[in-house]
Amino acid sequence: DAMVIQNPRYQVTQFGKPVTLSCSQTLNHNVMYWYQQKSSQAPKLLFHYYDKDFNNEADTPDNFQSRRPNTSFCFLDIRSPGLGDAAMYLCATSKGSGRRAWELFFGSGTQLSVL
Amino acid sequence: KQEVTQIPAALSVPEGENLVLNCSFTDSAIYNLQWFRQDPGKGLTSLLLIQSSQREQTSGRLNASLDKSSGRSTLYIAASQPGDSATYLCAVMKDTGFQKLVFGTGTRLLVSP
């Protein structure tokens, strides 16, 4: 089945130690998104790629970076994780064109803990 | 700025009941509205997508309606089952600029046997 896959499912890192979360998709979608969701809160968009075009949300901290080396993969880098960055990180995709262009499909998420 | 509100925040019902979850949004200039399900500690599963020109969508026991002018959507779940227990999130996408989803905080549903 075509899907959005996130690895790892759980990630533990130390305060200040860089960490990378990964996302891959077999849907061949143009758009890939990273959302942050803290406990009992709504998901919050961090940034997205439309093909290779990177778009950062205005309030996303500089500590968060992203890479999209090809259509299938997208990475979230947290350069110096703080305790406040502990959250579920959700990757999503959408076609970006054509019918149902902006229907989002999500991965199962990576739960990040910062010690 | 678009704000999305879901009421109630939590709902507990016995198995077999029909129920309605509510979603309201402040800016009616939307491109679409999407309902998601989220199980504890998991990602989001898309349930229904309603385009701005549509009034409702149905999938199995789920029916979602959209009233753009009043800024409201409802998710109707028929004959609820314990397996329906989850958090239900609605999200709206604006119709100008980049199509970004704005989420509500969800309704946590518990269906007891």
Side-chain angles (χ1 to χ4, degrees), chain A residues 30-35 45-50 53 55 57 92-106, chain B residues 2 29-34 36 49-52 91-103:
Chain A
N30 293 316
V31 191
M32 294 187 78
Y33 311 77
W34 280 104
Y35 281 82
L45 182 63
L46 295 174
F47 24 60
H48 76 276
Y49 277 92
Y50 195 122
D53 185 22
N55 298 272
E57 290 298 297
T93 72
S94 64
K95 288 168 58 179
S97 63
R99 189 171 173 269
R100 298 171 76 100
W102 301 105
E103 181 176 12
L104 267 68
F105 296 88
F106 282 80
Chain B
Q2 178 73 274
I30 67 169
Y31 182 82
N32 65 32
L33 183 145
Q34 204 166 348
F36 295 90
L49 171 73
I50 311 178
Q51 306 283 12
S52 62
V92 298
M93 185 171 277
K94 65 180 183 177
D95 66 358
T96 57
F98 171 67
Q99 279 82 357
K100 168 182 168 180
L101 269 184
V102 178
F103 283 85

Side-chain angles (χ1 to χ4, degrees), chain B residues 6-7 10 16 18 30 36 42 49 53-54 63 65-66 69-70 76 82-84 94 97 99-100 102 107 111:
Chain B
Q6 292 187 246
I7 294 174
N18 302 324
I30 67 169
F36 295 90
K42 301 283 181 65
L49 171 73
S53 58
Q54 298 173 325
N63 175 276
S65 67
L66 174 63
S69 60
S70 67
Y76 175 81
D84 295 331
K94 65 180 183 177
Q99 279 82 357
K100 168 182 168 180
V102 178
T107 294
V111 181

